[in-house]
Amino acid sequence: MTNALRLGIAGLGTVGTGVLDIVKRHAALLAARAGRPLQVTAVSARSKGKDRGHDLSALAWHDDPVALAKSADIDVFIELMGGDSGPAKVSVEAALAAGKHVVTANKALLAHHGVALAKAAEAKGVMLNFEAAVAGGIPVIKTLREGLAGNDVRRIFGILNGTCNYILTKMADEGRSFADVLAEAQKLGYAEADPTFDVGGFDTAHKLAILTSLAFGTQVNVDKIAIEGIEAITLEDIRNAAELGYKIKLLGVAVAHEGGVEQRVNPTLVPKNSPVSETDGVFNAVVIRGDFVGDLMLEGRGAGSHPTASAVVGDVVDIARGNARPVFGIPAKDLKPYVQAPQKAHEGGYYVALQLHDKPGAVAAVARILADEKISIESIVQRGTASNETRDTAPFILITHNTLEPSIRKAMAKIEKDGHVVGHPRVIRIERL
Ligand code: HSE
């Protein structure tokens, strides 16, 4: 058997230790599959003394990840530090410049610098693999780049953040608060170092931008994505949605139109019988429509130590086998410039939650404003006040038929301005994807 493929890992957190686990436990299996042993020879992390459940004493230790990236002791640099700038970016650039293959789980880095890094890798004839950057353990990068190479893909969407899906699922199933479930997701190693990236929708946007590039052959562009997170979703919204036959999911959606690409991230009501509505907890789902294959859906664990490490190790085996191909499916220099699709009104229903003043004419006034904007109502829920209780306001929930987004925005502004509601109306898209 040939020489071992020598791996240097920068970042020994949740995913890094998962990689150590797999390489150790499956040493023989991996050597057989890769055609040569895989050996971790060097590491870099923040604190040397921390107990990670592995004996690292035989490995070269580098305090500086850039020194590890350039080290003569490694063939593959595995970047698991995260962040779109700083040590992650500098060390990946250094590794590529030094002619090392790179494996990374860093979606922010690829979303912001993917094209430049791909050009650097392709110029050096080395591989830059990033399966773990999108949807954790789901092999969606490989699916798009290799398995679906015979298709023109025009639409891709999915649940791309395990933390958000975990939060929304637990809130729905256990009636727990947003903050309580977020703390649990952090403890389980699902969330980013700064969980605002998760709940604010940015992590989903990074992943979506990468998928868009692979699917449509365009340069990665995260700056134009309209992003809305799940922070404003209340337990009440989740319960109302359930009562009306829907679940709330944070979706990333990319569609190739004639005039350009539409990318967006937003909480969405999906009918309970739609395929992604069954994807719960830390699971992610990606639905891809190819012109010859039709629709296909991939589902699996989107975050966590071992699922994400599984994707990293798959990438390493690919390198050991010499499975070379362009980073984004076509050479980086040939990726088309990203063109944003002209803003088009969303033709779909909306969930609207209002806290109305409980007085005669309030509902009629709201109905009139909606009618003026040609918004048609599909269903309404108004919870009454118990007879032994008095309240000044009452929740008023409605689902609209297909409506243009600007009409909804205009109607909500008018309802607020006319003083019919307390607080702000909450509006969530409905998608029948
Ligand atoms: N924080 C991410 C998530 C981890 O929750 O999905 C995987 O990218």
Side-chain angles (χ1 to χ4, degrees), residues 15 105 107 132-136 160-166 185 189-195 197-198 203-204 207 282 284 301-304 308:
V15 183
K107 48 255 157 167
V134 181
L160 300 173
N161 184 273
T163 302
C164 287
N165 207 40
Y166 188 80
Y190 301 153
E192 297 303 305
D194 173 359
F197 275 100
D198 296 298
D203 179 78
T204 300
K207 293 165 177 169
V282 74
N284 282 189
R301 286 183 175 77
T308 312

Side-chain angles (χ1 to χ4, degrees), residues 102-105 127-131 145 314-316 318-319 325:
V102 171
V103 174
T104 178
M127 283 185 245
L128 168 60
N129 286 349
F130 51 91
E131 186 63 73
R145 191 173 46 198
D315 276 350
V316 172
D318 249 6
I319 290 170
R325 60 270 180 278

